[in-house]
Amino acid sequence: MHILIVTDQHPDTIGGAQVSIRVQQTFLERAGHRVTIVAPRLLNPGEAKTTTPGVIELPAMPITSDKSYGASWPGQASVRRVLRRLEALPPVTLVHVQGDFWGALIGYQLARRLNVPAVNTMHNNLDAGTRAVTPFAPAVFWALRAVRRCVLGRPRWPGRQTVAARRRPKPRGGWAYLAQLAADSNAVVAPSRHFAGDLERAGVPGPFAVIATGVHDDLVDEIKAESFSRGPGVRMLWCGRMSPEKRLFEMLEAFRLFIAAGGSAHLVVVGAGLQYEQAVRFVREHSLGDLVTFTGALSHEQTLAEIFRADVLVQTSRGFETQGMTPYEAALLGTPTLYCDANIASAVDVAPAWIEPSGSAQELAAVLATAATEIASGAPGEMRVPELLTEGMRQSSRTEEMLEVYRALCENA
């Protein structure tokens, strides 16, 4: 098969969806298939930590002040550009949409022009994420639906059943836009059971194939083969995109309260984003500079190494993640996680682990203290996740599940 993945951001930028796409490409190609990715061009190529092969880049305009991310216009010029590049490649078997904005619209346009099925993996809790970053979310949702209609017209329901449509609740807000994208698809994939449930309750039409993204087998094995000695004290880790829905500042405030109450630990913060300078300023103003290290953006392999070296990963996003990759990566590497989202904790389902249930910085500080005490008092290796609990989290086991979806569509095409 030749799978055309179309996405909102270049796979060499920072983000869970980008990591997911890169690892999917690697293991689909190992299974003997060809993968081509369509994405906006890199606006800061010198800052890329990876180099992904087989990418058709589209013209892009910056959508963040640091030019980390770009947007491509979903018009006929973009479609023609991709079609010209595809002329030199084997025929496309299907289009896999792994984006919600320009990537989704361009992906569906390409599927229609190529007359092939379209699969949509819904990586993004669009409703919660948009409401977290702007007070004008209703206007954004209206604009998204309007642009989708201008580009794609009425949803087509290609080869999909509308059984029980009357019993579905009417989707609203960002869910209404996702419902239209789902109705444009031949198959819809959710990366977790809890997000599939969110989609169903919001009225997004299914059925949904639940296929979580796995962790890169080779990277896990290489990093676990490293030899290093953990230093004294408890090493905590936070990693992700520095934007409000990830709740970095709740983490920093909780760590401040933890230290003020006599706690002892070192916090490593991995990632970048629009809140980076503000976060550095917070640490400086509260005299935490000796206890908090900012690494900036790292490659995926470097990030996994930091997870492996940590005593505990702290996952602070709440009610937003559709899967949450870092706790899966941590589990495979043996690092326990402190969760602020019970859905992710339930999905990963390994021990040791801690859950902060309320969402407050004060409660998170208390759970940080509990975790630090248990880690510091545990015997060597006792507070690590046993390998036998993480079977099935590797991407090699997930790729076949996705191929089953692809094969079913091709058989029915």
Side-chain angles (χ1 to χ4, degrees):
M1 285 187 277
H2 181 187
I3 299 103
L4 187 68
I5 294 177
V6 191
T7 186
D8 288 328
Q9 295 303 331
H10 197 286
D12 294 335
T13 55
I14 297 172
Q18 294 92 309
V19 170
S20 175
I21 289 167
R22 292 198 303 268
V23 73
Q24 287 177 41
Q25 178 190 37
T26 297
F27 283 84
L28 284 168
E29 290 178 344
R30 287 187 185 181
H33 306 284
R34 185 174 194 127
V35 178
T36 302
I37 300 170
V38 177
R41 71 178 180 89
L42 278 173
L43 298 171
N44 272 333
E47 296 183 4
K49 305 298 181 182
T50 55
T51 303
T52 303
V55 181
I56 297 176
E57 295 187 337
L58 296 173
M61 63 187 76
I63 56 174
T64 57
S65 58
D66 59 359
K67 295 185 178 182
S68 296
Y69 302 102
S72 296
W73 183 250
Q76 289 302 313
S78 294
V79 173
R80 287 193 295 269
R81 184 186 185 94
V82 176
L83 292 175
R84 285 196 299 270
R85 292 285 303 277
L86 290 175
E87 289 175 357
L89 301 177
V92 171
T93 308
L94 58 85
V95 172
H96 194 151
V97 173
Q98 303 209 42
D100 303 286
F101 306 109
W102 41 92
L105 303 186
I106 294 168
Y108 288 122
Q109 287 176 300
L110 287 166
R112 293 177 184 182
R113 289 288 295 272
L114 295 165
N115 194 29
V116 297
V119 181
N120 188 327
T121 292
M122 294 197 164
H123 288 284
N124 187 5
N125 189 331
L126 181 70
D127 193 272
T130 305
R131 294 183 192 279
V133 298
T134 176
F136 306 109
V140 172
F141 301 144
W142 180 89
L144 287 172
R145 293 194 299 271
V147 172
R148 196 219 67 85
R149 188 179 183 98
C150 289
V151 173
L152 297 174
R154 294 178 62 84
R156 291 190 173 189
W157 292 92
R160 308 244 335 275
Q161 298 294 323
T162 60
V163 176
R166 295 176 188 173
R167 296 195 294 273
R168 285 199 312 271
K170 182 179 180 179
R172 301 183 183 280
W175 303 109
Y177 174 69
L178 292 183
Q180 293 179 342
L181 296 185
D184 286 321
S185 307
N186 296 83
V188 184
V189 177
S192 66
R193 295 197 180 280
H194 78 259
F195 190 57
D198 290 343
L199 292 165
E200 290 172 350
R201 286 186 291 272
V204 177
F208 305 101
V210 178
I211 305 174
T213 299
V215 186
H216 197 301
D217 301 45
D218 299 356
L219 293 183
V220 168
D221 292 338
E222 289 171 10
I223 290 166
K224 290 179 76 170
E226 289 183 4
S227 60
F228 72 94
S229 57
R230 287 185 168 80
V234 175
R235 184 181 178 92
M236 299 178 176
L237 178 70
W238 185 98
C239 59
R241 183 177 63 254
M242 295 182 179
S243 54
E245 71 276 10
K246 298 293 187 176
R247 301 178 72 240
L248 169 61
F249 279 90
E250 285 80 356
M251 174 69 221
L252 294 176
E253 173 62 10
F255 187 75
R256 182 189 71 79
L257 293 171
F258 162 72
I259 294 299
S264 176
H266 190 91
L267 173 63
V268 178
V269 179
V270 175
L274 297 177
Q275 293 185 319
Y276 181 85
E277 295 299 333
Q278 186 181 355
V280 172
R281 187 163 56 250
F282 178 97
V283 168
R284 184 172 60 247
E285 289 174 352
H286 291 90
S287 303
L288 296 171
D290 292 338
L291 300 175
V292 180
T293 299
F294 290 92
T295 68
L298 299 178
S299 69
H300 186 211
E301 186 172 0
Q302 290 171 326
T303 301
L304 291 178
E306 288 291 347
I307 293 174
F308 182 49
R309 293 169 187 145
D311 293 300
V312 59
L313 170 74
V314 186
Q315 175 269 316
T316 50
S317 55
R318 186 179 178 84
F320 167 73
E321 303 291 350
T322 59
Q323 177 182 346
M325 278 299 299
T326 50
Y328 285 84
E329 293 165 340
L332 263 172
L333 292 166
T335 303
T337 296
L338 190 163
Y339 299 89
C340 291
D341 191 320
N343 283 324
I344 301 176
S346 177
V348 179
D349 192 24
V350 298
W354 301 267
I355 301 177
E356 188 288 297
S358 73
S360 73
Q362 292 78 9
E363 288 289 340
L364 179 55
V367 182
L368 287 175
T370 299
T373 299
E374 293 181 6
I375 291 168
S377 60
E382 180 183 1
M383 300 306 294
R384 304 293 290 178
V385 177
E387 189 171 343
L388 61 88
L389 296 180
T390 61
E391 295 179 6
M393 291 185 183
R394 293 172 179 260
Q395 183 60 31
S396 53
S397 68
R398 306 290 177 145
T399 295
E400 185 56 36
E401 297 177 42
M402 191 68 76
L403 284 170
E404 289 178 7
V405 174
Y406 292 165
R407 292 186 190 112
L409 289 182
C410 293
E411 290 170 2
N412 297 324

